[in-house]
Amino acid sequence: MGDFVLDDFMIRALVGGCGIALVSGPLGSFVVWRRMAYFGDTLAHSALLGIALGYLLGIGMTAGVIAVCVGIAVLLVLLQEQRQLASDTLLGIVSHSTLSLGLVAIAFMETMRIDLLAYLFGDILSVTWDDIVWIYGGGAVALAVLAFIWRRLLAITVDEDLARVEGMPVLAIRLTFMLLIAGVIAIAMKIVGVLLITSLLIVPAATARRFARSPEQMAGTAALIGMLAVLGGLAGSLVWDLPSGPSVVTSAALMFACSLMVPVPRAA
């Protein structure tokens, strides 16, 4: 058992997964508060197009995903400001269009072998130290930016119209938050895959919401629950030979289900 725990791939998986959980907890809290789950799905689906473009342009998978996710985030903010289509309709169009475009682009790449299932559902056990540098470097930047806009983002979440009246740069803060989500999706893709990333943002935060008494407490608790989900998912994946990404999300879902059975005072 000792040799099993000390395997290098296991250490990398734990370190990388916990790094993602630390960032996704606070960000996921705002996703839950602002009811932006579908927006997260849209960005996650667009990541597959980023993978294809990254390979086609020779700029690398991560750079391609970041570029596409950031572009889609900016486009969505601008289109939502126009108010010509309902947000859910707009998100549905962009989400499925980018996912389909990504799949079509990958189908045309006959000279390159791409493990589509690994990108769709993740493969945390294949995380490299270079990936971990991306995760912790990008995560540190994301948390620093989130800490900087934290109070204003909370104010906008509570009452956006009042924040506008008080002179807050609502559009800039919304765009900044969406870009943070885009960046986290790009660096988390290898952990849980593009189809499950939003789950890692939402489920730990939804679980933490029942127990937290303040926004800050909810963000920290969500990060802790996310790390426990990574640990539980990895254990299940290795013991029962299950796919790693879905195992992590299933672990988080089981903790959420268990939390529903615990009577608690009114959450934050």
Side-chain angles (χ1 to χ4, degrees):
M1 182 67 181
D3 292 338
F4 179 76
V5 174
L6 294 175
D7 280 341
D8 192 45
F9 76 90
M10 179 67 170
I11 296 173
R12 292 196 305 268
L14 281 171
V15 173
C18 287
I20 291 298
L22 282 171
V23 184
S24 62
L27 280 175
S29 297
F30 277 104
V31 171
V32 170
W33 291 329
R34 294 178 62 81
R35 300 178 182 178
M36 292 176 62
Y38 203 7
F39 173 82
D41 274 333
T42 302
L43 280 186
H45 289 175
S46 72
L48 197 61
L49 179 59
I51 294 170
L53 291 180
Y55 278 114
L56 287 172
L57 300 178
I59 59 176
M61 179 194 72
T62 304
V65 171
I66 291 175
V68 170
C69 285
V70 167
I72 294 296
V74 173
L75 177 65
L76 286 172
V77 171
L78 295 178
L79 289 176
Q80 285 176 337
E81 286 292 307
Q82 300 297 318
R83 301 184 185 277
Q84 294 182 359
L85 283 175
S87 289
D88 60 341
T89 302
L90 178 63
L91 290 171
I93 293 171
V94 176
S95 174
H96 300 300
S97 297
T98 52
L99 179 62
S100 299
L101 281 172
L103 290 170
V104 169
I106 289 175
F108 275 111
M109 297 164 59
E110 298 176 355
T111 59
M112 302 187 69
R113 290 180 60 88
I114 295 180
D115 187 355
L116 194 56
L117 284 179
Y119 289 126
L120 290 176
F121 300 107
D123 187 7
I124 192 174
L125 301 181
S126 68
V127 169
T128 66
W129 288 115
D130 286 341
D131 294 326
I132 290 173
V133 170
W134 269 99
I135 289 170
Y136 279 87
V141 172
L143 287 177
V145 173
L146 182 62
F148 180 73
I149 66 171
W150 180 271
R151 288 297 171 189
R152 284 173 289 182
L153 187 56
L154 273 177
I156 291 172
T157 301
V158 172
D159 192 329
E160 188 168 308
D161 292 332
L162 180 60
R164 288 183 190 275
V165 171
E166 293 180 349
M168 288 189 184
V170 173
L171 179 60
I173 293 172
R174 281 179 55 205
L175 181 58
T176 300
F177 176 63
M178 290 180 178
L179 293 179
L180 290 179
I181 297 177
V184 169
I185 285 173
I187 62 177
M189 183 176 56
K190 198 165 187 176
I191 303 295
V192 291
V194 299
L195 297 183
L196 301 174
I197 289 173
T198 315
S199 301
L200 196 60
L201 283 167
I202 296 171
V203 180
T207 306
R209 189 175 192 175
R210 302 195 69 244
F211 304 99
R213 300 296 186 91
S214 69
E216 293 78 12
Q217 191 180 62
M218 176 171 162
T221 305
L224 177 61
I225 291 171
M227 287 189 284
L228 291 175
V230 170
L231 182 60
L234 275 175
S237 174
L238 293 174
V239 171
W240 293 297
D241 193 25
L242 302 173
S244 54
S247 295
V248 171
V249 176
T250 300
S251 177
L254 286 174
M255 282 190 281
F256 174 73
C258 291
S259 74
L260 296 178
M261 304 175 190
V262 179
V264 292
R266 194 172 72 87

